């Protein structure tokens, strides 16, 4: 996994998002980072699609907490609308916070769901952010 990017980089640069990208959000609840959501929407120039949308998307933002269910199942499900080359941005509460998910659990769930953790970003004071990409078969 590569080093987390510097916090002074913009949200768009860290999450590799640009104007016109379609991004779908899963796991929204009252505890999400509202400022981060606004910055993502500003970067893409539109609102995030909700969990029920059926559009093909460039990226998925998944808010996940310990106790939300089976992370493997959720990671498989969120890939159904993900375009080829798209990524999943998995947000979990940071260490020491309620409902923290260990990096080992993220790594294992991602691998089982056909994804791998490629990097992390520092975009939130309360949430850890991991970039999950589909595994490539050569």
């Amino acid at each position: 996994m590569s080093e987390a990017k510097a916090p002074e980089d913009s949200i768009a640069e860290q999450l590799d998002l640009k104007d016109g990208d379609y991004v779908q959000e899963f796991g929204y609840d009252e505890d999400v980072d509202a400022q981060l959501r606004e910055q993502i929407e500003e970067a893409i120039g539109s609102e995030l699609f909700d969990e029920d949308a059926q559009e093909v998307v460039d990226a998925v933002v998944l808010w996940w907490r310990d106790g939300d269910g089976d992370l493997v199942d959720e990671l498989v499900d969120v890939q159904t609308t993900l375009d080829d080359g798209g990524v999943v941005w998995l947000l979990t509460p940071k260490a020491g916070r309620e409902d923290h998910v260990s990096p080992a659990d993220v790594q294992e769930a991602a691998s089982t769901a056909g994804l791998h953790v490629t990097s992390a970003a520092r975009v939130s004071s309360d949430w850890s952010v991991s970039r999950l990409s589909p595994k490539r078969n050569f």
Side-chain angles (χ1 to χ4, degrees):
M1 179 160 61
S2 67
E3 192 68 26
K5 296 183 181 181
E8 62 271 6
D9 290 346
S10 76
I11 298 301
E13 289 171 347
Q14 289 194 63
L15 301 183
D16 196 26
L17 298 173
K18 61 190 177 306
D19 188 37
D21 280 351
Y22 292 121
V23 180
Q24 188 171 15
E25 178 182 45
F26 293 84
Y28 176 86
D29 205 342
E30 61 194 33
D31 64 345
V32 302
D33 185 327
Q35 182 179 358
L36 175 58
R37 289 183 80 251
E38 290 171 13
Q39 291 172 316
I40 291 170
E41 289 179 340
E42 185 177 304
I44 64 174
S46 65
E47 292 184 2
L48 298 168
F49 289 110
D50 67 18
E51 296 182 7
D52 298 323
Q54 296 299 311
E55 286 80 0
V56 174
V57 296
D58 302 297
V60 165
V61 170
L62 171 58
W63 303 92
W64 191 262
R65 305 140 198 93
D66 185 45
D68 277 354
D70 187 322
L71 181 54
V72 173
D73 288 345
E74 188 68 12
L75 289 172
V76 169
D77 290 347
V78 303
Q79 292 180 72
T80 60
T81 58
L82 194 61
D83 199 6
D84 289 341
V87 299
V88 176
W89 287 104
L90 177 65
L91 294 103
T92 58
K94 285 190 172 180
R97 307 243 188 242
E98 186 176 348
D99 297 324
H100 169 70
V101 179
S102 79
D105 290 344
V106 169
Q107 197 71 260
E108 182 179 342
S111 180
T112 303
L115 300 165
H116 60 107
V117 180
T118 59
S119 65
R122 290 185 223 159
V123 296
S124 174
S125 59
D126 295 325
W127 294 83
S128 295
V129 183
S130 300
R131 181 181 189 269
L132 310 180
S133 298
K135 291 181 180 178
R136 305 242 188 275
N137 295 325
F138 293 101

